[in-house]
Amino acid sequence: MATCDSAYMAAAESVQQFGFASVRFYRMVGTLILTRHGQSEWNKLNLFTGWKDPALTELGEAEALKGAEELKKAGYVSQAFTSDLQRAQKTLQIQLKAIGQEGISITKDQALNERDYGELTGLNKDDARKKWGEDQVHIWRRSFDVPPPGGESLKLTADRVLPYYREHILPLVKAGKSILVTAHGNSLRSLIMDLEHMSGEEIVKTELGTGVPIVYKIDEEGKVLDKQILQ
């Protein structure tokens, strides 16, 4: 029986029961791959980046390429999603070229953008600590539901990421597709929190490596069956 993209199917069993064969049907399982973009110019300068659009550094491109080598282990990718920001788009471009799949469909959307840091955007993190105090900046960065002035908390970020995921990405995965999402630390944390049923307190402590693929196997009901970090 032919498979659907990179999805795999649970083995079918046929048993003799009451004089006729009882068949257990195949079950569709899809793949969701999450990767964080490589280092950007503003990451290198220790600046709050948010929705600003700096390019990748040479190191960032190397991180994307290293992650792509690991991504080959996940097999064929059906379709890709990324944010509206070039650091994620360039990371995705490097990934797809390395795995020989530059021709697949790519969807770009602001819903997958990084968290908006509001008045912190463009500031050096050390300078922000001097202006507002170390404790306050730590609260803005690491609390789940306290946004910086004019910006988003992780909760607000999740409020835009998760509806988009459930409407546009999850149905493809549940249909057995292999979907790659290349985005940002906080937009990906929003997804991981939902996938792994984590609390706000748990997810803010979760660190994501740059360029490192995280692979989830998800069944047709949206249940996570397996998780692998490829590094």
Side-chain angles (χ1 to χ4, degrees), residues 197-231:
H197 306 292
M198 299 172 74
S199 68
E201 183 177 331
E202 290 172 324
I203 193 60
V204 296
K205 298 175 183 176
T206 302
E207 296 295 335
L208 304 180
T210 47
V212 177
I214 305 173
V215 182
Y216 294 92
K217 292 293 184 181
I218 298 174
D219 70 13
E220 70 273 19
E221 296 178 351
K223 179 182 177 182
V224 174
L225 304 177
D226 184 57
K227 172 189 175 183
Q228 287 186 304
I229 299 176
L230 304 181
Q231 59 184 352

Side-chain angles (χ1 to χ4, degrees), residues 40-126:
S40 74
E41 295 286 356
W42 280 27
N43 293 145
K44 182 178 179 179
L45 296 173
N46 199 33
L47 306 179
F48 286 99
T49 308
W51 281 43
K52 292 298 183 180
D53 203 19
L56 293 182
T57 61
E58 288 186 11
L59 174 60
E61 293 186 6
E63 289 172 336
L65 185 58
K66 181 180 179 181
E69 291 302 313
E70 297 295 330
L71 185 57
K72 292 176 181 177
K73 300 174 184 176
Y76 179 80
V77 175
S78 312
Q79 188 171 339
F81 288 80
T82 189
S83 76
D84 197 40
L85 300 170
Q86 66 169 323
R87 58 192 184 272
Q89 293 176 12
K90 180 63 174 179
T91 298
L92 176 60
Q93 179 186 353
I94 292 170
Q95 291 171 324
L96 295 180
K97 182 176 181 180
I99 65 174
Q101 291 189 233
E102 293 173 279
I104 67 170
S105 173
I106 298 172
T107 302
K108 304 169 186 176
D109 201 284
Q110 287 185 347
L112 297 174
N113 278 14
E114 177 58 289
R115 171 185 174 186
D116 183 352
Y117 280 102
E119 292 182 23
L120 298 181
T121 303
L123 290 180
N124 182 281
K125 292 173 184 176
D126 293 330

Side-chain angles (χ1 to χ4, degrees), residues 131-165:
K131 182 175 181 178
W132 283 289
E134 185 168 347
D135 289 344
Q136 182 61 69
V137 172
H138 180 75
I139 290 170
W140 286 332
R141 291 188 67 197
R142 294 304 180 192
S143 67
F144 176 65
D145 57 2
V146 181
E152 293 177 308
S153 62
L154 180 53
K155 180 180 183 301
L156 291 173
T157 306
D159 285 346
R160 63 170 159 84
V161 171
L162 292 178
Y164 181 84
Y165 164 72

Side-chain angles (χ1 to χ4, degrees), residues 11 29 60 69 73-74 100 152 170 174 193:
V29 179
E69 291 302 313
K73 300 174 184 176
E152 293 177 308
L170 183 58
K174 291 168 70 173
M193 178 179 67

